[in-house]
Amino acid sequence: MARNPVIQEILKRYTQVWALGHSMAVLGWDTETHMPERGARPRGIASGQLAMLSQKATTDLDGLVRKAEKAKDLDDMEKGVVRVLRRSLDYYLKIPPELVDELQRVTTEATVVWRQARKNSDFKLFRPHLEKIVALERTVADRLGYEKHPYNALLDLFEEGFTVRDADAVYSKLVPASKKLLTKVTEAGIYPSKHPLELARYDTDAMLSVNEGAIQLLRMPADRFRMDVSTHPFTTQIAHDDVRITTRYEGKDFKASLFGTVHESGHAIYGLGISEGLAYTPLGDGASYGIHESQSRFWENVVGRSRGFVRLLRPVLSKNLQFVKKYNDEQLYLYFNTVRKSYIRVEADELTYNLHTAVRYDVEKKVIGGEVKVSEIPSLWNDTFDDYLGIRPRNDAEGALQDVHWSGGSFGYFATYTLGNIVAAMIWHKMKDGAFVQDALQEGDIVGLKSWLGKKIHRFGMTYSPKALQQKVFGEAYAPQRLLTYFERKYLD
Ligand code: MG
C-alpha cells in the first residue's frame, strides 16, 4: 500500500472514480449480453451521464496529482498512480464534457446500426454514423495534440507511448516476412488449408460443456469469474474479484468457440492475477491493450494450439463431441492449425492474422490523417486486402464492415492485436523457446504457467508503462523478430 500521504489521499478519493468505472463496466457487459435492441438509446444516455461524472471526479484530483508530481521519494507503485492519473487527466482536461457525452451517444447508437449494416452488407447504412465518428475522432486527436501525425494521439490511447513510427517499424518487417512464410508453409503442405472437422455440426449444450471443461483445465476460479454468450466475444474486468468473459456458438467448426473461450480466458487470467493491493486503485488493470492481448494470444495460440494442449483437452472433447473420436491427436492438432487466406480477422490463423491488422492500420492511418474520405473506405480496404493477402472481399460484410471497433469509436485499437502476438512470442522466447510451455503441458501444470506470467507480468497491473514493463521482463520492446522466429519453429521445423 501507498506510504506517501498525498498518494494515500488520492487513492481514498479515487474510489469514486473506480465505482463509476465499475458501474459502466456492468452496463457495458449487459449491453452486449442481455439488453434488448431498443435499450440502446437509454443506455447511451445513462453511459454518457456516468462518463461525465467520472470525468468530473477525475479532474477533481488534478490538484492532488500536481502535488504528488512534486514528491521525490515515491516508490514504483506510487509513481505508477501519478503516471496513470496524469494520462487520464490529460485526456479529460483537453476533451470537454460535451465531447465525451457526444462520443458516448454517437457510438452507442452507431453500434446498433453497424450490426444491421453488417447483416445486410450495407456500408451506406453505416456511413453517416461512421462519418460522425471519424470527425469526432479527428477532433479528439486535435485537442489532445500530437507530433507529426494525428493518429499518434489515438494510438497512444490504447498503447501508451506507441506511435506511427513504432507501428511502421513493426509492420514493415512483419508484412513482407509473413507473406513469404505463408508461401513457404503452403508449399510445404504439412499444415492443411481445410479440415473435415470445420464442417462438423455441434450441439450448443455439448459445446458449452467443452468450453466449461476448457475453463476448468485453465483453473479459472468459479467464485471470481463467469462466462456468457455474445456476438463478439470479449472480456470485462468488473472488479479484482469479478472478471467476465463471453464466447459464441455458431453450430459448426467447434474450434472457433473453443479458442474464443481460451482467448478470453487468457485476458481473464491477466485480470485475476493483478496484485490484490492494486484493487480499487488506478493501477488495477492490464498495462495496455497490447500487453492484455499478449496474454489472450499466449493462451490461445502458444498454449491452446499446441500438441500438449490437444492431449490435455482430449478427454473433454471425446466426452462431449462424438464426431471427434475418429480423429487422433495429430489430426486434431492440424485441425486447430489450418492455414489459409481468409476474409475475416477473427477467424484468421496465426500466420495470416497480422496481415489483417495491417490492412486496418493502413486504412485508419489514412482516414485519420485525412488522406481518404469515409465513403472511400470500402474500396481502399479491398485494394489493401488484395495487396497483403492476395484475395479480394466479395462484399463489405466480409470487408470493411466486419469488425465492431469503428462503431465504438475505437480508432487506434487494431495494431494492439499484433503487438499482443509479438509480445506473446517474446514470452515464448523467454520461456526457453517454448520448452517451458511444452514441459508444463506435458505435466498438466497449468498453474506453473500462470505463476510464471503472474510473477513477471500480471501482478504489476498498470504500475509500469507497456514499454517499461517489456524492458523490465524481456530487455526489449515490441520485437517482431520473436514472432517470426516462433512461426518458423512452429510451421517450418
Ligand atoms: Mg482479445
Side-chain angles (χ1 to χ4, degrees), residues 233-235 263-264 267 289 292-293 296-297 300 353 413 417:
F234 68 96
T235 301
H263 176 101
E264 300 307 331
H267 282 299
Y289 282 76
H292 231 301
E293 194 67 7
S296 54
R297 296 296 273 179
E300 177 190 349
Y353 192 94
Y413 193 126
Y417 289 130

Side-chain angles (χ1 to χ4, degrees), residues 3 83 227 324 345 428 452 470:
R3 289 164 300 130
R83 189 190 94 255
M227 175 169 70
V324 163
R345 176 185 59 86
W428 168 86
W452 191 103
Q470 287 172 76

Side-chain angles (χ1 to χ4, degrees), residues 291 294-295 423-431 452 456-457 468-478 482:
I291 303 295
S294 75
Q295 300 310 294
V423 176
M426 288 161 69
I427 295 168
W428 168 86
H429 175 66
K430 190 84 183 162
M431 288 180 167
W452 191 103
K456 291 204 163 30
I457 297 168
L469 180 67
Q470 287 172 76
Q471 287 298 343
K472 192 176 156 72
V473 180
F474 310 107
E476 60 186 355
Y478 308 124
R482 302 295 177 211

Side-chain angles (χ1 to χ4, degrees), residues 400-416:
L401 280 176
Q402 64 182 274
D403 288 306
V404 70
H405 305 59
W406 291 345
S407 72
S410 296
F411 279 80
Y413 193 126
F414 286 113
T416 68

Side-chain angles (χ1 to χ4, degrees), residues 275-317:
S275 158
E276 202 180 349
L278 301 181
Y280 314 105
T281 79
L283 306 181
D285 204 342
S288 69
Y289 282 76
I291 303 295
H292 231 301
E293 194 67 7
S294 75
Q295 300 310 294
S296 54
R297 296 296 273 179
F298 176 81
W299 287 98
E300 177 190 349
N301 293 333
V302 179
V303 175
R305 294 180 206 270
S306 72
R307 291 182 173 90
F309 196 69
V310 170
R311 275 194 298 277
L312 285 180
L313 199 64
R314 161 66 74 180
V316 176
L317 289 176

Side-chain angles (χ1 to χ4, degrees), residues 312-373:
L312 285 180
L313 199 64
R314 161 66 74 180
V316 176
L317 289 176
S318 299
K319 187 176 163 208
N320 296 290
L321 304 174
Q322 294 306 312
F323 55 76
V324 163
K325 284 186 180 160
K326 62 176 174 187
Y327 297 94
N328 65 29
D329 284 2
E330 186 61 16
Q331 288 164 329
L332 271 180
Y333 169 76
L334 292 174
Y335 163 58
F336 286 174
N337 289 287
T338 51
V339 174
R340 68 164 173 268
K341 297 169 179 176
S342 65
Y343 300 107
I344 306 295
R345 176 185 59 86
V346 296
E347 291 164 10
D349 55 77
E350 289 180 279
L351 275 180
T352 54
Y353 192 94
N354 303 298
L355 298 171
H356 287 260
T357 70
V359 171
R360 288 151 180 79
Y361 169 70
D362 279 10
V363 172
E364 286 192 1
K365 191 166 72 169
K366 287 183 178 148
V367 170
I368 298 299
E371 287 174 60
V372 299
K373 292 196 290 264

Side-chain angles (χ1 to χ4, degrees), residues 437-452:
V437 185
Q438 272 179 23
D439 293 349
L441 292 178
Q442 188 71 41
E443 289 157 30
D445 184 20
I446 294 289
V447 175
L449 287 174
K450 284 167 100 169
S451 317
W452 191 103

